[in-house]
Amino acid sequence: MTFPAFPPRIALILFMLLLGVAPVARAQKYRTAAGVRLGAGNYGLTVQQKVFEKTTLEGLGLVGSREVSATLLAERHFGILGPSLNYYLGAGGHVGTHKDDGAFGGIDAIVGLEYKLPITRLVLSADFKPSVEFGSSDWARFPTAISVRYILIKEKKTGFLNNLFGGDNDRKKKKNKQKSDTRRGLFDF
């Protein structure tokens, strides 16, 4: 018995649908990370801040040979094989100035892959960030870039194994001990 072959487009669409329906693993191991972003023709700084369970805001400050821009993106992270490897999708906007065209703005989309290196505070990512421009001679851009970020604030650890060697019970004991150590005054009974 043979099965009919799927055309590549249909196979890709089915794969994307399965990714969207699959249970989402915890997608990040950090709350705040900052670093550098390197693309073709520009470079800059990147700062990512977790705002919801699987959502971050990323700010980009980019410098090119003839322009400077700032971008703000909202990104949704989805785990792949655990919290160290994830992909993300998002959208946002940017403003900037170009030496030839003057001020410009636009809207951005982003899709990327992110990996948190084990035993370090480093996060590597690669992304594709297409944009539509307003007030610029380029009406659309399709840049790719890589980023290296340093984790400034780690994610709090919770769960069975993380509480096994301390956790809420230790905090309760410390609070009770502090309350019992209070000194009594002359008229306190």
Side-chain angles (χ1 to χ4, degrees), residues 96-157:
T97 183
H98 191 279
K99 286 186 178 182
D100 299 330
D101 299 332
F104 65 89
I107 55 174
D108 300 274
I110 191 165
V111 59
L113 190 65
E114 179 178 80
Y115 181 66
K116 195 265 181 210
L117 294 173
I119 309 172
T120 68
R121 287 183 163 235
L122 294 178
V123 178
L124 304 176
S125 68
D127 63 60
F128 172 61
K129 188 178 75 65
S131 63
V132 176
E133 302 285 323
F134 305 109
S136 175
S137 60
D138 294 333
W139 67 273
R141 296 184 190 186
F142 303 96
T144 58
I146 59 170
S147 298
V148 178
R149 293 185 202 91
Y150 181 79
I151 297 173
L152 299 173
I153 301 174
K154 290 182 178 182
E155 181 67 24
K156 292 180 181 178
K157 294 182 179 181

Side-chain angles (χ1 to χ4, degrees), residues 27-38:
Q28 283 180 267
K29 288 186 139 186
Y30 62 89
R31 295 196 65 71
T32 307
V36 295
R37 179 181 170 88
L38 304 170

